[in-house]
């Protein structure tokens, strides 16, 4: 048996939470390896709906959850999320959750700087969630981050806050935003330290032992390949690497631990925030996709932009993300359309491209080249086998496979965890 890594193959919000939850029944450990509480995974279990941002989705399945060193952690948000799940009858304890002691922290000053910058950008705003993710990663790279382990060392914490505030208060003042007081920040961090530190440990050691013992590890990515800070639609991206290789560096394991890579993609396409979206539909069809798919962000509640499936984009994600197979979600949203379109390339300044170029101007002016397919009138919702799908729906899925150059190994036909068609178990070696 092999480990499995799950990543998004579009611009995020593809339904990774349900797929992780579904696959967690076959795993022993579930690991978050990048991103922060800007990620949002919604899990529907019977009558209960869980909305997770930082916590690994496998906790809902009773699996050991690990937050790796590649994640930036807002300790206040983490404790609030733990309290919310506990109130829903799902207690989170140090026996079920472990946190990398070398993971960086997001502080209130990071969110303040994030928001102040977006305001200053005006019409050129990136569309961040304003939760401090980017500034926290900047501090990590600049070697001034406060990490989980620092909560156990008050003197270290105090000295690091001096450096951090020298940097951030200068920027905040320059942007006309309120600055932060060291005493207040120090007091709040020291107060929450006893609540966070019981979860902390060198998780790389636990993961090494789990692998030695033959346990199955499921790596859970946040956001998606086209939001990767290197490979996405820069600068309209997140602040971390979202590709499968980050599962290794973001958890403290070697690259051979990543295992089989499953890319999640909707049967159509959505995006939250600013940035290029060649197949976006600003018409009744786009509104219908949004209404049927309940397209609102799990974390922010922002309305998602909707459009046709972009096979050229997903093919690009397959190549740079290291994807071995696709999990296609929300097929049922397409029920009832007389015809469907798939983006197969782009036309930019009279030239044809099979990929989305890196240049901002090229991306902004890219016009989609479509292939038209027959739709279907019968319902696919709740289908659990290929035999329950209309022939046109099967043809649509098969055409996607051909265009993205990766097989569809799992097909989701509703938010319910068991409404899934498994073509190949990703954990099978």
């Amino acid at each position: 048996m092999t480990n499995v890594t799950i990543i998004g193959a579009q611009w995020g919000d593809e339904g990774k939470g349900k797929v992780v939850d579904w696959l967690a029944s076959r795993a022993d450990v579930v690991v978050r390896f990048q991103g922060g509480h800007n990620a949002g995974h919604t899990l529907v279990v019977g009558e209960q709906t869980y909305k997770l941002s930082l916590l690994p989705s496998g906790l809902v399945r009773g699996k050991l959850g690990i937050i790796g060193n590649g994640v930036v952690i807002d300790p206040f948000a983490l404790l609030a999320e733990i309290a919310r799940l506990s109130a829903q009858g799902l207690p989170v304890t140090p026996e079920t959750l472990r946190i990398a002691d070398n993971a960086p922290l997001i502080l209130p000053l990071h969110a303040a700087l994030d928001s102040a910058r977006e305001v200053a950008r005006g019409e050129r705003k990136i569309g961040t969630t304003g939760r401090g993710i980017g500034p926290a990663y900047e501090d990590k790279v600049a070697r001034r981050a406060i990490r989980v382990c620092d909560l156990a060392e008050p003197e270290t914490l105090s000295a690091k806050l001096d450096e951090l505030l020298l940097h951030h208060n200068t920027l905040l003042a320059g942007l006309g935003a309120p600055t932060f007081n060291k005493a207040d920040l120090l007091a709040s961090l020291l107060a929450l330290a006893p609540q966070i530190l019981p979860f902390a440990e060198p998780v790389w050691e636990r993961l090494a032992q789990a692998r030695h013992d033959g346990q199955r590890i499921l790596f859970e990515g946040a956001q998606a390949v086209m939001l990767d800070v290197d490979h996405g639609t820069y600068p309209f991206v997140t602040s971390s690497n979202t590709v499968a290789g980050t599962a290794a560096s973001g958890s403290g394991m070697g690259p051979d631990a990543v295992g089989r890579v499953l890319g999640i993609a909707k049967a159509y396409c959505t995006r939250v925030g600013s940035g290029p979206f060649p197949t976006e539909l600003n018409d009744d069809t786009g509104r219908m996709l949004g209404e049927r798919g309940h397209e609102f962000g799990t974390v922010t509640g922002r309305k998602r932009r909707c459009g046709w499936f972009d096979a050229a984009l997903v093919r690009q994600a397959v190549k740079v993300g290291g994807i071995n197979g696709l999990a296609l979600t929300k097929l049922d949203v397409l029920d009832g359309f007389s015809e469907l379109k798939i983006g197969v390339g782009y036309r930019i300044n009279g030239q044809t491209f099979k990929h989305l170029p890196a240049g901002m101007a090229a991306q902004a002016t890219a016009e989609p080249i479509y292939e038209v397919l027959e739709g279907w009138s019968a319902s696919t919702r709740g289908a659990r086998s290929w035999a329950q799908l209309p022939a046109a729906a099967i043809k649509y899925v098969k055409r996607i496979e051909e265009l993205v150059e990766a097989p569809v190994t799992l097909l989701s036909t509703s938010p319910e965890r068991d409404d899934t068609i498994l073509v190949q178990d990703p954990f099978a070696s």
Side-chain angles (χ1 to χ4, degrees):
M1 308 303 287
T2 185
N3 296 333
V4 172
T5 297
I6 291 180
I7 60 175
Q10 292 163 320
W11 280 297
D13 305 306
E14 300 96 347
K16 291 185 293 294
K18 173 194 168 172
V19 178
V20 172
D21 170 58
W22 195 82
L23 288 174
S25 63
R26 294 163 168 75
D28 300 297
V29 184
V30 181
V31 184
R32 269 288 307 274
F33 59 85
Q34 51 78 217
H37 65 308
N38 56 341
H41 293 165
T42 300
L43 310 178
V44 180
V45 184
E47 299 298 316
Q48 192 72 270
T49 298
Y50 300 98
K51 294 182 180 293
L52 307 181
S53 294
L54 268 172
L55 295 174
S57 299
L59 287 171
V60 176
R61 281 281 193 179
K63 307 295 180 172
L64 175 66
I66 290 181
I67 299 177
N69 57 275
V71 178
V72 284
I73 301 171
D74 182 325
F76 305 97
L78 176 63
L79 292 174
E81 190 172 332
I82 289 173
R84 188 171 67 251
L85 258 67
S86 296
Q88 289 185 267
L90 188 67
V92 179
T93 69
E95 285 67 47
T96 60
L97 174 70
R98 306 306 294 167
I99 300 173
D101 56 4
N102 57 338
L105 296 180
I106 301 174
L107 304 183
L109 53 81
H110 292 124
L113 180 59
D114 205 357
S115 297
R117 282 176 173 169
E118 280 288 80
V119 170
R121 289 184 181 109
E123 293 183 358
R124 295 176 298 168
K125 65 181 180 179
I126 293 172
T128 76
T129 59
R131 300 196 167 208
I133 311 300
Y137 274 116
E138 289 175 43
D139 283 345
K140 173 182 177 178
V141 175
R143 296 167 292 186
R144 58 174 169 259
I146 290 174
R147 304 192 296 175
V148 172
C149 55
D150 297 329
L151 296 176
E153 301 178 0
E155 290 184 5
T156 300
L157 194 58
S158 178
K160 282 194 167 185
L161 274 175
D162 286 331
E163 182 181 1
L164 206 58
L165 287 170
L166 176 65
H167 177 79
H168 283 274
N169 276 343
T170 301
L171 290 174
L172 288 167
L175 291 166
T179 57
F180 284 79
N181 176 270
K182 177 187 174 180
D184 293 340
L185 271 177
L186 182 60
S188 64
L189 289 173
L190 290 175
L192 63 77
Q195 301 173 73
I196 297 290
L197 288 173
F199 294 94
E201 69 175 19
V203 299
W204 60 267
E205 200 161 39
R206 183 180 291 268
L207 288 170
Q209 187 62 50
R211 194 176 184 203
H212 177 270
D213 294 342
Q215 293 186 352
R216 299 179 191 174
I217 302 172
L218 181 63
F219 295 98
E220 176 185 7
Q223 290 86 43
V225 173
M226 299 315 294
L227 292 177
D228 184 280
V229 71
D230 285 311
H231 301 290
T233 49
Y234 190 92
F236 303 100
V237 293
T238 194
S239 298
S240 60
N241 287 110
T242 61
V243 293
T246 314
S249 61
S251 63
M253 302 190 77
D256 59 337
V258 171
R260 185 170 180 81
V261 181
L262 189 63
I264 317 299
K266 280 177 183 164
Y268 49 103
C269 201
T270 66
R271 178 166 195 166
V272 170
S274 306
F277 186 173
T279 63
E280 183 174 10
L281 297 171
N282 296 303
D283 58 12
D284 288 342
T285 300
R287 285 189 290 275
M288 190 179 298
L289 288 172
E291 290 168 4
R292 288 184 177 184
H294 306 290
E295 296 298 350
F296 295 91
T298 299
V299 169
T300 63
R302 290 184 294 179
K303 185 179 179 181
R304 296 174 186 145
R305 301 153 63 189
C306 299
W308 295 121
F309 186 88
D310 190 336
L313 190 89
V314 175
R315 176 183 175 275
Q316 193 166 333
V318 165
K319 303 304 180 185
V320 302
I323 293 170
N324 304 121
L326 279 186
L328 198 64
T329 65
K330 293 196 169 185
L331 182 68
D332 56 301
V333 174
L334 299 181
D335 291 352
F337 283 97
S338 59
E339 68 173 31
L340 303 168
K341 294 182 180 180
I342 297 178
V344 296
Y346 313 99
R347 192 169 289 108
I348 305 171
N349 297 325
Q351 286 186 277
T352 300
F353 292 81
K354 286 186 65 178
H355 71 283
L356 193 60
M360 283 181 65
Q363 291 180 355
T365 57
E367 296 179 1
I369 299 170
Y370 284 123
E371 182 175 303
V372 181
L373 281 78
E374 179 188 358
W376 55 88
S377 56
S379 174
T380 63
R381 187 175 180 85
R384 299 184 183 184
S385 71
W386 287 106
Q388 295 176 296
L389 295 178
I394 295 174
K395 184 177 180 181
Y396 180 78
V397 173
K398 294 299 181 184
R399 186 56 182 149
I400 284 176
E401 288 183 323
E402 294 170 355
L403 291 169
V404 305
E405 299 177 18
V408 172
T409 59
L410 188 149
L411 190 63
S412 171
T413 57
S414 93
E416 296 295 331
R417 64 162 60 159
D418 293 325
D419 290 342
T420 305
I421 300 172
L422 180 65
V423 181
Q424 180 184 1
D425 186 345
F427 279 112
S429 57

